[in-house]
């Protein structure tokens, strides 16, 4: 329970519905959609559309989306993979012939066909109640009439001015006289408003076919991309079967590869082989978390790829008790392990995560991203679509499972999560922060189920993250002060992160008392609200 003498947030409470997002306008929109009779997925899509406008550096229709839906809180959980694929003409050989030796952030080759719009539309058709035009209305109004930039968005935008100046359309949209606007500045995106309005009126074909698609293809091809109209017209996501593991008497559900949810489950499988200390920030507990993460991420970077690559046997192996036993046995709390370098690591950063539960207790875990802050920085000039740079996750190493290839999806870091117990979903949660997300899931759940924290206290707790393939551990201030010297003595290099680590949102369902409990991360601008 929270100590009210210390700074922090209280749990949000509600009975009829709840939403938790990283932006106040998105949370408020989701609650308003619920109160208007919308379902949890209607509310999640409306919130994400709003964030595509007011937090455009983190998500947008030029990005990808993954979601999990638990109808009426049951364990028949439906997962949707809305990640996009490379153009049909994109091959490793063609990239090499063009002199490409690395997938740069601002390159069109880092842009796969965005999957978010397909995912939103399909999920609303299957699990929603309201028309897309009504769901998009709040986002359209904000894009057209203006919105005030929040402190975190202003902070993130100021770090991306050099990137955005490279695209005239992006610079005109997000910068003022070539500089980042300060918090409180009113910004508009009329081109995006028109595009969202068209999608709301005509459905996803307004994005993947016709004038918007032509604008996107022309923009990408002018920059040297291999995209064509057929790549966009053929874009489709798919429902997938969630994967799971048991942890401390609960079942943890994640999306399967090409996302890294399987890595969160691997970390938990290792952690449950250790007896946790009473103090969640005890150096031994932190040491085990660090090493479990380093071992699991080494497997991720060696094996994780589009589902056509790993196959069921690889998933079974990575989640097997035998592998968890083997990896746990390597951990020695007296000293850091030498694990070795990983393949082709690239920094992963920006995302939005949305948790919603409605009156019928349908739970939604929803995550959408354009990868780095403001993605590739490339913006289609007539439609206002800002493109992601997820293709940077591909490997250019021959034979690697995540090697770039035609119509292939890259390894993804964005992962929604759910927890069930006694035949019902008890928690919908997610953690933003790219690379950190798999560890973030395991860290959050361990603090709940190993240390008895409530969801807000677990979110508030200071974090650390071992950079994959290294002995460097980024740790927030409280951990550096309390355990940094001891972790350094054991062989880790403990450093300050460039910024806050991750950002979590969560909603717990108390079936016995009929209430909803929400938590939201102070590291972002957002909040949880229930009614």
């Amino acid at each position: 329970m929270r100590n009210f003498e210390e700074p922090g947030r209280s749990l949000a409470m509600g009975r009829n519905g709840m939403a938790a997002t990283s932006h106040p306008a998105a949370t408020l929109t989701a609650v308003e959609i619920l109160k208007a009779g919308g379902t949890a997925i209607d509310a999640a899509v409306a919130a994400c559309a709003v964030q595509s406008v007011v937090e455009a550096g983190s998500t947008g229709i030029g990005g990808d989306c993954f979601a999990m839906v638990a109808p009426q809180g049951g364990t028949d959980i439906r997962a949707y993979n809305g990640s996009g694929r490379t153009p049909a003409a994109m091959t490793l050989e063609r990239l090499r012939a063009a002199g490409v030796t690395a997938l740069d952030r601002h390159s069109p080759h880092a842009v796969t066909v965005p999957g978010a719009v397909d995912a939103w539309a399909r999920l609303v058709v299957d699990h929603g109640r309201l028309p897309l035009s009504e769901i998009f209305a709040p986002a359209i109004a904000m894009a057209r009439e203006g919105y005030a930039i929040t402190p975190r968005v202003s902070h993130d935008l100021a770090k991306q001015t050099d990137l955005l100046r490279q695209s005239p359309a992006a610079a005109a949209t997000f910068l003022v006289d070539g500089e980042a606007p300060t918090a409180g500045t009113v910004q508009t995106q009329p081109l995006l408003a028109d595009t969202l309005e068209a999608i709301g009126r005509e459905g996803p074909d307004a994005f993947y076919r016709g004038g918007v698609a032509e604008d996107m293809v022309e923009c990408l091809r002018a920059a040297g991309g291999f995209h064509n109209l057929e790549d966009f017209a053929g874009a489709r996501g798919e429902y997938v079967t969630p994967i799971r593991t048991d942890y401390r008497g609960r079942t943890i559900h994640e999306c399967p590869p090409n996302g890294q949810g399987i890595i969160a489950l691997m970390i938990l499988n290792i952690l449950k082989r250790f007896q946790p200390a009473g103090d969640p920030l005890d150096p031994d507990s932190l040491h085990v978390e660090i090493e479990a993460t380093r071992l699991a991420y080494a497997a991720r970077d060696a094996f994780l790829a589009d589902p056509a690559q790993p196959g069921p046997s690889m998933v079974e192996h990575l989640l097997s008790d035998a592998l968890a036993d083997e990896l746990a046995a390597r951990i020695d709390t007296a000293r850091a392990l030498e694990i070795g370098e990983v393949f082709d690591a690239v920094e992963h950063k920006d995302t939005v995560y949305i948790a919603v539960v409605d009156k019928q207790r349908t739970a939604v875990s929803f995550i959408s991203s354009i990868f780095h802050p403001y993605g590739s920085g490339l913006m289609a000039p007539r439609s206002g679509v800002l493109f992601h740079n997820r293709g940077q996750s591909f490997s250019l190493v021959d034979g690697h499972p995540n090697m770039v290839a035609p119509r292939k999806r890259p390894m993804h870091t964005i992962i929604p999560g759910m927890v069930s117990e006694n035949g019902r979903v008890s928690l919908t949660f997610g953690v933003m922060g790219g690379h950190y997300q798999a560890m973030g899931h395991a860290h959050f759940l361990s603090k709940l189920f190993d240390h008895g924290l409530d969801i807000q206290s677990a979110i508030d707790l200071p974090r650390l993250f071992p950079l994959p393939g290294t002995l460097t551990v980024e740790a927030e201030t409280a951990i550096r002060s309390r355990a940094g010297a001891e972790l350094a003595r054991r062989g880790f290099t403990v450093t300050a992160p460039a910024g806050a680590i991750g950002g979590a949102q969560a909603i717990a369902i108390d079936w016995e008392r009929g209430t909803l409990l929400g938590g939201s991360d102070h590291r972002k601008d957002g909040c949880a609200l229930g009614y």
Side-chain angles (χ1 to χ4, degrees), residues 218-306:
E218 288 171 14
C219 173
L220 293 168
R221 291 187 72 87
F226 303 142
H227 309 71
N228 61 37
L229 291 173
E230 289 73 23
D231 294 321
F232 279 79
R236 296 290 185 279
E238 61 179 340
Y239 282 101
V240 291
T241 302
I243 54 177
R244 64 189 185 184
T245 196
D246 292 329
Y247 190 76
R248 313 298 193 205
R250 288 96 171 167
T251 301
I252 318 302
H253 305 263
E254 299 275 359
C255 290
N258 55 317
Q260 63 171 343
I262 192 171
I263 305 306
L265 301 184
M266 286 182 68
I267 296 171
L268 290 170
N269 282 345
I270 296 170
L271 292 182
K272 69 185 179 184
R273 282 156 169 79
F274 293 84
Q275 185 64 36
D279 180 358
L281 299 183
D282 175 80
D284 284 349
S285 291
L286 295 175
H287 187 127
V288 171
E289 277 192 41
I290 290 167
E291 296 292 44
T293 299
R294 294 177 69 225
L295 289 163
Y297 276 57
R300 181 197 74 170
D301 293 309
F303 301 117
L304 201 61
D306 203 358

Side-chain angles (χ1 to χ4, degrees), residues 122-256:
R122 179 69 182 275
L123 288 164
V124 165
V125 166
D126 294 345
H127 303 285
R129 186 177 297 135
L130 303 179
L132 274 179
S133 57
E134 185 173 345
I135 290 169
F136 283 174
I140 293 167
M142 292 179 199
R144 187 162 285 142
E145 298 167 13
Y147 52 93
I149 293 175
T150 60
R152 178 60 195 265
V153 170
S154 174
H155 170 82
D156 293 342
L157 187 52
K159 293 185 175 182
Q160 305 303 323
T161 52
D162 288 343
L163 172 78
L164 295 172
R165 288 178 189 135
Q166 298 179 60
S167 168
T173 300
F174 298 116
L175 304 181
V176 178
D177 297 327
E179 301 296 334
T182 57
T185 301
V186 176
Q187 194 171 69
T188 61
Q189 295 188 60
L191 296 175
L192 180 59
D194 291 343
T195 300
L196 286 171
E197 194 167 56
I199 297 168
R201 183 178 60 247
E202 304 167 25
D205 278 356
F207 183 82
Y208 293 105
R209 300 172 185 269
V212 173
E214 290 169 3
D215 182 40
M216 292 190 289
V217 169
E218 288 171 14
C219 173
L220 293 168
R221 291 187 72 87
F226 303 142
H227 309 71
N228 61 37
L229 291 173
E230 289 73 23
D231 294 321
F232 279 79
R236 296 290 185 279
E238 61 179 340
Y239 282 101
V240 291
T241 302
I243 54 177
R244 64 189 185 184
T245 196
D246 292 329
Y247 190 76
R248 313 298 193 205
R250 288 96 171 167
T251 301
I252 318 302
H253 305 263
E254 299 275 359
C255 290

Side-chain angles (χ1 to χ4, degrees), residues 47-57 59-61 120 189 192 196 368:
C48 198
V50 165
Q51 286 182 279
S52 299
V53 177
V54 301
E55 198 178 344
T59 192
I61 57 177
W120 297 0
Q189 295 188 60
L192 180 59
L196 286 171
S368 187

Side-chain angles (χ1 to χ4, degrees), residues 326-349:
E326 176 187 334
L327 296 178
R330 295 182 61 185
I331 297 176
D332 178 358
T333 54
R335 61 185 62 84
L337 285 170
E338 291 291 344
I339 294 177
E341 293 297 320
V342 295
F343 292 81
D344 299 308
V346 62
E347 191 177 10
H348 301 232
K349 289 188 175 181

